[in-house]
Amino acid sequence: VTAATTEAAAAPLAPGQTASFGFIISADEMAAFATLSGDRNPLHSDSDVARARGFAGPVVYGGLLAAKVSRLVGMELPTPDCVWTHLDIDFRDPLYVGEPTTLAAEIVEVSQAVRAARLRFRICTVDGRLVARGTVELVYGGGTAR
Amino acid sequence: MDLYARLAPIFRNVFDDDHLEIGPSTTAADVEGWDSFAHIRLVVAVEKAFGVKFTTSEIAALNNVGEFVDLIAAKLQAASVP
């Protein structure tokens, strides 16, 4: 692979580009996340506990929402080989199991010199409730090799 | 404030070293952790802090911090010319 073709393959990311996808967190995903993370806080699994704490039901793990940002970075952008280097995320409102949800992102800055980009993202329920928002920084096309 | 004074806190943050000192002759070999990811963080942080953009060839041509400072100064000078 020549430098020129690598440059061409890595070129598409630009400020203003957007990406989005929908998802629904299932009970199976919640159980899987409890296993892989070791976080067995009943807030995420026991309806009675969740309601006693003022929530409508078991609250989706924040880590599962971060996992959807991982999907954005790894699968949903026009350039392959994206790797995140920074993530910040504000959890604004609880998400519940089974709620149709959308993650929408926009590229706000690109550093062509090192093939790095910064995206803002919002995770909202389909009825418009903001669940989380944040920024993610990534390198694409393998970044720069020194 | 000179450019080295403005760059020092950026370097210290990128390399997670509150005592890191940099000078014109500093190279990647002198700084623990200056790998390819840290290099990306550094360039992005400098672009953001100084409001400038670099090209791949400009970054690839740098041999030490002094040349980086010269490049930043040239960018800032170009930006200030009406």
Side-chain angles (χ1 to χ4, degrees):
Chain A
V1 178
T2 67
T5 56
T6 302
E7 195 86 26
L13 288 191
Q17 289 179 328
T18 60
S20 66
F21 59 90
F23 62 90
I24 298 173
I25 300 294
S26 68
D28 284 349
E29 285 177 290
M30 291 290 283
F33 190 83
T35 298
L36 72 89
S37 69
D39 181 354
R40 298 190 181 278
N41 184 335
L43 176 68
H44 302 295
S45 58
D46 188 319
S47 295
D48 292 339
V49 169
R51 289 197 192 98
R53 295 185 189 176
F55 297 99
V59 177
V60 167
Y61 288 100
L64 264 175
L65 298 181
K68 299 304 178 185
V69 182
S70 182
R71 170 180 163 182
L72 167 76
V73 171
M75 306 300 293
E76 305 290 344
L77 298 176
T79 297
D81 299 328
C82 294
V83 178
W84 62 7
T85 56
H86 178 88
L87 171 68
D88 71 65
I89 183 167
D90 289 326
F91 300 112
R92 308 278 297 191
D93 213 27
L95 179 67
Y96 299 108
V97 176
E99 281 194 286
T101 309
T102 298
L103 188 157
E106 178 178 2
I107 297 172
V108 293
E109 190 157 10
V110 172
S111 297
Q112 296 286 358
V114 288
R115 296 179 191 152
R118 182 163 58 90
L119 293 82
R120 286 200 189 101
F121 65 86
R122 295 170 67 86
I123 300 174
C124 297
T125 60
V126 290
D127 56 4
R129 193 162 51 84
L130 176 63
V131 172
R133 69 181 182 187
T135 60
V136 60
E137 296 172 5
L138 56 85
V139 294
Y140 59 94
T144 185
R146 294 181 68 246
Chain B
M1 187 185 293
D2 72 31
L3 290 179
Y4 286 96
R6 290 177 67 186
L7 272 177
I10 297 171
F11 271 75
R12 288 169 185 163
N13 183 51
V14 167
F15 297 106
D16 192 30
D17 180 352
D18 292 340
H19 305 291
L20 180 62
E21 299 289 343
I22 55 169
S25 62
T26 304
T27 69
D30 300 321
V31 180
E32 186 179 350
W34 194 334
D35 57 18
S36 59
F37 260 15
H39 191 66
I40 292 167
R41 288 181 194 280
L42 179 65
V43 171
V44 171
V46 168
E47 284 188 338
K48 189 173 182 182
F50 288 88
V52 297
K53 288 288 184 185
F54 305 110
T55 67
T56 305
S57 56
E58 286 170 342
I59 294 300
L62 299 177
N63 292 305
N64 54 43
V65 171
E67 292 182 8
F68 198 14
V69 167
D70 290 344
L71 176 61
I72 295 167
K75 293 279 180 180
L76 293 176
Q77 178 69 27
S80 68
V81 174

